[in-house]
Amino acid sequence: MAHYVKGVLIPRDQIDKMVTGLADRITEDYQGKEIVIVGVLKGSFIFMADLVRKINIPMILDFMSVSSYYGGTKSSGVVKIIKDMDVDIEDRHVIIVEDIVDSGLTLQHLKEMLLTRNPASLKVCAAFDKPDRRKADITAEYTGMKIPDEFIIGYGLDFDGKYRNLPDVCILAFDGGNE
Ligand code: IMP
Ligand code: MG
């Protein structure tokens, strides 16, 4: 499928301010508690690295890897756990860190699964949100920015495994017809 980087949607300085805002809210909300932050690989890795360095609360970091996309731009609705987290989250305050909530299906499955492990609390922090495309009735408690219905890349987000390293969030455009 022919595609090209159409332009910057969110420049890096704006992303930085967004992350600071989220980290400040989390620091305030979890005063006196210890938290477990679970990053959903791979898309969240840059966001998570920036976020945790701005949060001033004792924390344990862990990762999970799930797959729902299989190389395309639309969610399959099937979530496969490729790597589970290592930490036992029973009676702990857990925050899932996601790159983007699109249909919400990935997050819905993930939340349901983690809730069976009886955490003290479970919230979601997502860098980006595409509310127009939601299929599952789910909202992240902490959302960085709402974005229009475009396919974005950069700041950890990929297309076919590429472009994660771009420091700004950019729009990926597709040449019509053969998507
Ligand atoms: P959902 O299950 O439809 O909410 O999909 C969530 C996952 O799909 C995210 O964690 C991303 O990995 C991926 N995704 C959704 N929208 C985009 C996008 O615009 N660019 C890159 N990846 C995306
Ligand atoms: Mg992802």
Side-chain angles (χ1 to χ4, degrees), residues 9-35:
L9 180 67
I10 314 165
R12 61 197 82 178
D13 56 319
Q14 217 175 311
I15 298 173
D16 187 65
K17 286 195 190 105
M18 171 276 268
V19 178
T20 303
L22 290 172
D24 288 350
R25 281 177 57 202
I26 292 171
T27 300
E28 205 181 304
D29 292 353
Y30 289 87
Q31 277 301 316
K33 297 184 173 124
E34 189 182 281
I35 53 181

Side-chain angles (χ1 to χ4, degrees), residues 40-44 66 68-69 98-100 106 157-158 164:
V40 184
L41 293 170
K42 303 174 185 152
S44 72
V66 302
S68 60
Y69 260 60
E98 256 284 25
D99 50 0
I100 185 167
T106 308
L157 290 132
D158 73 306
R164 292 194 198 275

Side-chain angles (χ1 to χ4, degrees), residues 128-141:
F128 308 107
D129 184 14
K130 286 197 235 177
D132 295 346
R133 289 174 41 90
R134 197 72 90 253
K135 285 189 191 137
D137 182 20
I138 198 162
T139 334
E141 284 80 2

Side-chain angles (χ1 to χ4, degrees), residues 4-179:
Y4 59 97
V5 182
K6 204 168 137 189
V8 173
L9 180 67
I10 314 165
R12 61 197 82 178
D13 56 319
Q14 217 175 311
I15 298 173
D16 187 65
K17 286 195 190 105
M18 171 276 268
V19 178
T20 303
L22 290 172
D24 288 350
R25 281 177 57 202
I26 292 171
T27 300
E28 205 181 304
D29 292 353
Y30 289 87
Q31 277 301 316
K33 297 184 173 124
E34 189 182 281
I35 53 181
V36 177
I37 300 223
V38 192
V40 184
L41 293 170
K42 303 174 185 152
S44 72
F45 84 108
I46 292 178
F47 173 48
M48 182 171 171
D50 285 347
L51 182 74
V52 296
R53 285 180 291 172
K54 292 174 190 269
I55 296 175
N56 195 9
I57 294 278
M59 64 174 74
I60 292 173
L61 299 179
D62 207 346
F63 296 95
M64 284 187 81
S65 178
V66 302
S67 146
S68 60
Y69 260 60
Y70 309 114
T73 60
K74 301 251 158 58
S75 180
S76 63
V78 179
V79 177
K80 200 167 101 192
I81 305 284
I82 294 167
K83 185 216 173 286
D84 203 342
M85 57 189 300
D86 301 320
V87 173
D88 178 6
I89 56 168
E90 185 163 359
D91 296 329
R92 289 177 176 273
H93 296 285
V94 180
I95 303 176
I96 301 171
V97 174
E98 256 284 25
D99 50 0
I100 185 167
V101 186
D102 185 18
S103 71
L105 294 168
T106 308
L107 210 52
Q108 191 180 44
H109 281 79
L110 207 57
K111 258 189 116 171
E112 276 170 17
M113 203 191 79
L114 294 188
L115 280 173
T116 65
R117 303 178 185 181
N118 301 315
S121 67
L122 180 64
K123 288 189 184 175
V124 176
C125 178
F128 308 107
D129 184 14
K130 286 197 235 177
D132 295 346
R133 289 174 41 90
R134 197 72 90 253
K135 285 189 191 137
D137 182 20
I138 198 162
T139 334
E141 284 80 2
Y142 303 99
T143 301
M145 280 179 203
K146 292 198 169 108
I147 57 156
D149 183 9
E150 302 266 14
F151 196 83
I152 58 169
I153 47 164
Y155 198 65
L157 290 132
D158 73 306
F159 173 69
D160 262 350
K162 284 174 272 186
Y163 305 112
R164 292 194 198 275
N165 57 310
L166 300 182
D168 308 295
V169 168
C170 299
I171 295 177
L172 195 72
F174 299 92
D175 284 333
N178 53 351
E179 192 179 330

